[in-house]
Amino acid sequence: MYRKFLNARSPLRLLEKGLHGGLGPGNIGIFLSGHGVGKGSVLVGVALDELLRSGNVLHVSLTHNVAHVRAHYDTVFDDLAATTHLKDGGNIRAEIDRRRSIRVYPAPSFSPEKLREAVKLEIEAGQKPSLVIIEGEDFDSAQREDFEDFKALAEELAAEIWLSAQCKDEQTVVIPESIARLEDLVSVIVALEPGDDAVALRALKDHDNPDVADLHVALDPRTLLLKRY
């Protein structure tokens, strides 16, 4: 499969449709689930989709080292290339590596100032991020002013910022209080719900739309790829 067809047929297009156009530049989104359900793989899937569309990605991890994050990308990309019979996979992987930057911080020391410093370096290198991933944010201790700064940065960059959040329950019916107190700063919240053969994605918040649609997207736990559901 050629790259342009892969982009057009990606399950992320269904996610965007279900979310009335997707997250969108200047907005913050959250993937929410219990421990070990697959938030990291979904974030990598979103990042790879952006990279395959020639965007630039800054991936910030507060939980893993650079080698671990890079290996996660390699695993998901290899599965994607194999299952879609992607043409010219070697050159595409090299381009993805050039367009993706990985930065790791100890969670207690991470701040909007650190993120802004990282973004400044990316811009100086000629790779202004169109997508920022923040993996491992502790929402229980998150400060409102930090998220106000994240939102301001997303708007300044005209970029999307996706974060992962861990909840206590396997099935999340309502938005946890740790996130609800920041809800006015967050445009999209998506819960991951484990099932028998896949992890379904369900919208808990979709911008200002009162009715959230079925997203028809799931994570395959065997391949770590997003799929139609």
Side-chain angles (χ1 to χ4, degrees):
M1 184 182 295
Y2 289 99
R3 177 173 172 169
K4 64 180 181 179
F5 295 115
L6 176 62
N7 288 337
R9 295 176 60 183
S10 169
L12 268 298
R13 304 292 80 76
L14 284 178
L15 182 65
E16 290 170 353
K17 182 178 179 180
L19 295 173
H20 298 83
L23 179 56
N27 294 318
I28 295 175
I30 297 172
F31 287 111
L32 171 68
S33 79
H35 177 69
V37 172
K39 297 181 295 296
S41 295
V42 173
L43 288 174
V44 168
V46 170
L48 281 174
D49 183 75
E50 181 66 16
L51 291 163
L52 286 167
R53 292 194 284 179
S54 299
N56 298 320
V57 173
L58 172 60
H59 188 122
V60 174
S61 179
L62 312 181
T63 54
H64 302 293
N65 59 34
V66 172
H68 180 100
V69 176
R70 185 181 292 120
H72 201 163
Y73 274 87
D74 289 345
T75 297
V76 176
F77 179 82
D78 287 345
D79 283 339
L80 181 66
T83 57
T84 61
H85 307 288
L86 182 64
K87 305 292 184 182
D88 202 19
N91 286 334
I92 293 173
R93 182 201 288 273
E95 180 188 340
I96 283 173
D97 288 343
R98 289 194 301 270
R99 290 183 172 277
R100 180 204 63 216
S101 180
I102 301 169
R103 296 186 181 272
V104 171
Y105 301 90
S109 70
F110 181 65
S111 66
E113 291 76 18
K114 293 282 181 67
L115 182 59
R116 285 184 174 275
E117 289 172 8
V119 167
K120 181 181 178 183
L121 291 173
E122 294 302 310
I123 293 174
E124 289 174 350
Q127 295 202 155
K128 177 183 176 183
S130 54
L131 171 65
V132 176
I133 299 290
I134 303 176
E135 184 180 10
E137 176 72 22
D138 182 0
F139 281 83
D140 288 330
S141 60
Q143 301 298 310
R144 181 175 179 84
E145 52 266 31
D146 290 349
F147 271 76
E148 290 173 343
D149 205 344
F150 290 154
K151 174 66 174 176
L153 180 59
E155 292 173 348
E156 292 165 20
L157 291 172
E160 296 181 353
I161 296 182
W162 277 105
L163 300 96
S164 62
Q166 186 169 313
C167 60
K168 297 177 182 178
D169 300 323
E170 189 174 83
Q171 300 288 338
T172 305
V173 179
V174 297
I175 299 170
E177 177 55 35
S178 60
I179 296 174
R181 62 191 176 88
L182 306 168
E183 190 176 349
D184 59 309
L185 300 172
V186 178
S187 298
V188 169
I189 301 172
V190 176
L192 279 62
E193 299 183 336
D196 293 336
D197 59 354
V199 178
L201 275 62
R202 183 169 62 85
L204 299 181
K205 181 178 181 182
D206 176 8
H207 300 277
D208 294 324
N209 297 300
D211 298 319
V212 290
D214 189 344
L215 299 177
H216 299 292
V217 177
L219 176 72
D220 186 332
R222 294 163 297 182
T223 64
L224 303 181
L225 296 177
L226 290 169
K227 66 178 185 177
R228 287 166 168 78
Y229 190 66

